[in-house]
Amino acid sequence: MDNLKQFPEALTIAGNDSGGGAGMEADIKTMQACKTFSTNVLVGITAQNTLGVQDIYPLPEKIINQQFQSVFSDFEIKAAKTGALFDGEHVSIVVKNIMKYRIEKLVVDPVMIAKGGAHLLTDEAVATLKNELLPHAYLLTPNLPEAELLSGQEIKKNEEIVKVANSLQLMGAKNVIIKGGHAKGEKVFDFVKIANQDGYWLQSNRIRTSRTHGTGDTLSAAITAFLAQEKDLTTSIKLAHQYLHSIIEKPFIVGHGHGPLNHGGW
């Protein structure tokens, strides 16, 4: 048994989803499905289901700091991701720990609004996220509305997505993927901009389903899982894209609203 190979370990820094479809629960399920062990730092608690978010309670700084210490004193974290961070104070708390524990392979999913419309990031926290967290992002993964809000630029066509991706890099994110699921059409186009390379598009057929709760969390968690396996970023994004498309194609019926993904269906 002593000859067992070290299993890849990753970290999710986020809020929970008591309905199990998004947030930390989606991250953990995704990482496990993608063959990576998931540790977690819980930043806040939500009362949530497929119908919406009923309540939010950000946790005190002391217990957040203690979670970071517990994780990094025991596990070999190869990559990490952030999810919902709720307000400016908690963004700053997380950034201090990112710096303290020297997290380099950090995927920042700027979770702002839940699928049902509830705000998971206050307006004042957006500025804190831009000024303090973005410069630590190895990869930034906004959807179209999030990309517009972060950049202050409107997106109506593909050329503007490219322009916004470049702007987000100038704000500090080393690499960017802008997710195009909110656009209309039978095809979904995600734009990837890696460091100083030319950007490229990832294309997939749109699957008509209401069971897409937690898609953003799931994609960013899958990328993080593959980065923890020490795959390069391009490969990690490609594999995560394939994983997400695959499980959207295999829905199951849970809840009465925006249903969750079948994370184990890969």
Side-chain angles (χ1 to χ4, degrees), residues 144 180-189 203-209 245 248:
L144 290 174
H182 283 73
K184 297 180 180 179
E186 294 304 313
K187 301 286 186 181
V188 177
F189 296 93
Q203 176 183 319
S204 60
N205 294 322
R206 185 179 299 277
I207 300 169
R208 298 294 177 181
T209 175
H245 189 76
I248 292 176

Side-chain angles (χ1 to χ4, degrees), residues 48 115 225:
Q48 184 176 170
K115 187 70 70 177

Side-chain angles (χ1 to χ4, degrees), residues 12-156:
T12 168
I13 308 160
N16 82 314
D17 173 1
S18 53
M24 183 167 289
E25 286 80 0
D27 293 344
I28 294 170
K29 293 174 186 177
T30 298
M31 290 180 183
Q32 186 69 32
C34 295
K35 311 300 186 197
T36 294
F37 182 78
S38 175
T39 62
N40 58 88
V41 168
L42 183 62
V43 178
I45 299 169
T46 73
Q48 184 176 170
N49 54 29
T50 64
L51 301 173
V53 178
Q54 290 78 47
D55 205 354
I56 295 172
Y57 176 67
L59 292 176
E61 181 176 7
K62 180 179 178 181
I63 189 62
I64 295 173
N65 292 340
Q66 185 60 63
Q67 289 177 82
F68 272 101
Q69 182 179 341
S70 295
V71 169
F72 280 93
S73 66
D74 188 24
F75 299 95
E76 296 181 21
I77 302 301
K78 300 294 186 182
K81 65 150 290 189
T82 62
L85 301 180
F86 304 108
D87 57 34
E89 176 188 356
H90 285 78
V91 173
S92 294
I93 291 169
V94 167
V95 169
K96 289 176 185 176
N97 281 283
I98 288 168
M99 296 172 66
K100 179 178 180 179
Y101 296 102
R102 299 179 182 179
I103 302 174
E104 295 183 359
K105 293 289 179 69
L106 179 70
V107 177
V108 174
D109 184 10
V111 178
M112 297 179 178
I113 301 175
K115 187 70 70 177
H119 285 253
L120 297 175
L121 191 70
T122 62
D123 291 341
E124 55 87 18
V126 174
T128 309
L129 188 148
K130 289 164 62 174
N131 295 330
E132 297 185 20
L133 184 58
L134 252 60
H136 297 281
Y138 178 67
L139 175 67
L140 179 67
T141 66
N143 58 33
L144 290 174
E146 291 164 348
E148 287 183 326
L149 186 57
L150 288 171
S151 67
Q153 302 176 45
E154 190 176 30
I155 297 174
K156 292 295 184 183

Side-chain angles (χ1 to χ4, degrees), residues 105 107 137-141 161-162 164-170 172-178 190-202 223 227 231-239:
K105 293 289 179 69
V107 177
Y138 178 67
L139 175 67
L140 179 67
T141 66
I161 294 177
V162 175
V164 167
N166 290 327
S167 297
L168 293 174
Q169 278 190 317
L170 291 174
K174 293 180 180 65
N175 308 285
V176 179
I177 175 170
I178 298 180
D190 294 348
F191 182 72
V192 182
K193 183 67 170 65
I194 294 181
N196 297 320
Q197 301 176 24
D198 292 334
Y200 63 91
W201 296 91
L202 289 172
I223 295 171
L227 288 173
K231 300 183 189 302
D232 64 76
L233 182 56
T234 298
T235 301
S236 297
I237 291 173
K238 179 181 178 181
L239 290 172

